[in-house]
Amino acid sequence: MKRGWAICILIILFAGVPLQTTYAETEFNEIFQYISSKDYEEGVLRLNDWYLTLSNEQREPLEEHYSKLISVLSSNNLMHKDKLIQLWSFLSAAEYITEDRVYYLRYLNGYFHTLADNGGNTGTVEDMNKVYDAMLPVLHMMAENNDMEAIKEASVSEEDLVMAAAIQPGNSVPPFQIWYEDHLAGSNLVLVSTVTGGVLISALTYASWRKYVGEKRRKRIRNHSD
């Protein structure tokens, strides 16, 4: 149920929110509109036209990411949602490199936090992994540039644990598994331990109470017999 709810949020977030921002008329949003409506052919054509307008300096850091996106959009084996995540990832990197803005990254980060707030079931963690990986290219760029202003702008709170990963010593952004174990797995373990401990205490208390009631009953029967 939670996973389905999260997917609905993803669709609303991707299809609605960006179009209400100040950059709604940019080519990025036109590309996104075509691909989000599953018109991959036209979306890729628009994307390629935009990509060819870039200078070699702008294109170089995007080249590998661009090739991966084209491969993903051309695949028949991936879900539409996964294609949107990869598109969002590319647009986040492209926007940062060409326009020095992080609107797309901030929305992606917001969706990640929505997933994180909705528990640790396997499906949700898998989705978190995909979204975190989608943010990694820009996180690495910001870390290498020590771009504190962009990190702050992309944060969704003052204690944003994802953006904090971009300012680790050595400018090294951890992979999702390490980030998850450091920030969420422990809290889930505490929750499980608390619930388990509560169940054990309740069971022992109930057993002690039953034993006490049984003893009183036996004493009453003995006294009555005497």
Side-chain angles (χ1 to χ4, degrees):
M1 181 68 180
K2 286 184 177 178
R3 190 175 188 184
W5 179 73
I7 292 173
C8 289
I9 290 179
L10 175 67
I11 294 172
I12 293 171
L13 179 69
F14 281 5
V17 175
L19 304 182
Q20 300 170 9
T21 66
T22 56
Y23 60 105
E25 300 304 320
T26 66
E27 289 182 87
F28 290 153
N29 281 310
E30 290 182 0
I31 293 167
F32 180 80
Q33 287 180 62
Y34 281 111
I35 294 177
S36 64
S37 62
K38 298 187 179 181
D39 189 349
Y40 300 122
E41 184 176 353
E42 185 62 30
V44 169
L45 286 175
R46 297 294 184 102
L47 179 63
N48 187 63
D49 288 342
W50 171 84
Y51 187 71
L52 293 176
T53 65
L54 301 181
S55 65
N56 290 333
E57 184 180 1
Q58 292 174 318
R59 197 180 301 172
E60 184 178 356
L62 289 173
E63 189 170 356
E64 183 177 347
H65 205 22
Y66 177 75
S67 298
K68 180 181 178 180
L69 176 61
I70 297 301
S71 176
V72 166
L73 295 178
S74 303
S75 173
N76 294 322
N77 300 320
L78 292 174
M79 296 175 61
H80 181 59
K81 183 190 71 170
D82 293 329
K83 294 183 178 183
L84 286 181
I85 290 176
Q86 285 302 315
L87 173 64
W88 205 273
S89 176
F90 177 81
L91 294 179
S92 298
E95 183 184 47
Y96 179 66
I97 290 171
T98 63
E99 299 184 8
D100 195 26
R101 295 196 290 189
V102 291
Y103 291 121
Y104 277 88
L105 176 63
R106 181 177 171 81
Y107 285 119
L108 199 57
N109 186 29
Y111 177 59
F112 179 86
H113 279 82
T114 299
L115 290 172
D117 290 342
N118 279 284
N121 63 73
T122 302
T124 301
V125 173
E126 289 175 355
D127 286 337
M128 287 172 63
N129 194 350
K130 292 176 183 179
V131 177
Y132 186 91
D133 287 349
M135 291 189 285
L136 276 180
V138 189
L139 292 179
H140 283 302
M141 292 177 194
M142 294 193 302
E144 290 171 3
N145 296 334
N146 194 27
D147 194 342
M148 298 303 298
E149 184 177 345
I151 290 171
K152 182 178 180 180
E153 189 178 347
S155 299
V156 296
S157 69
E158 292 184 359
E159 298 180 354
D160 190 320
L161 297 177
V162 175
M163 291 301 116
I167 52 177
Q168 296 297 314
N171 295 333
S172 177
V173 182
F176 173 76
Q177 191 59 41
I178 293 177
W179 182 92
Y180 181 78
E181 289 174 359
D182 287 345
H183 299 294
L184 293 185
S187 61
N188 288 338
L189 180 60
V190 170
L191 177 62
V192 171
S193 300
T194 301
V195 172
T196 303
V199 170
L200 287 174
I201 291 171
S202 298
L204 290 172
T205 301
Y206 178 73
S208 299
W209 176 78
R210 293 283 297 175
K211 183 177 180 181
Y212 170 75
V213 171
E215 288 292 335
K216 287 194 68 174
R217 184 178 299 158
R218 281 193 291 273
K219 285 182 180 179
R220 194 163 51 245
I221 292 173
R222 283 199 301 270
N223 291 337
H224 181 74
S225 299
D226 293 342

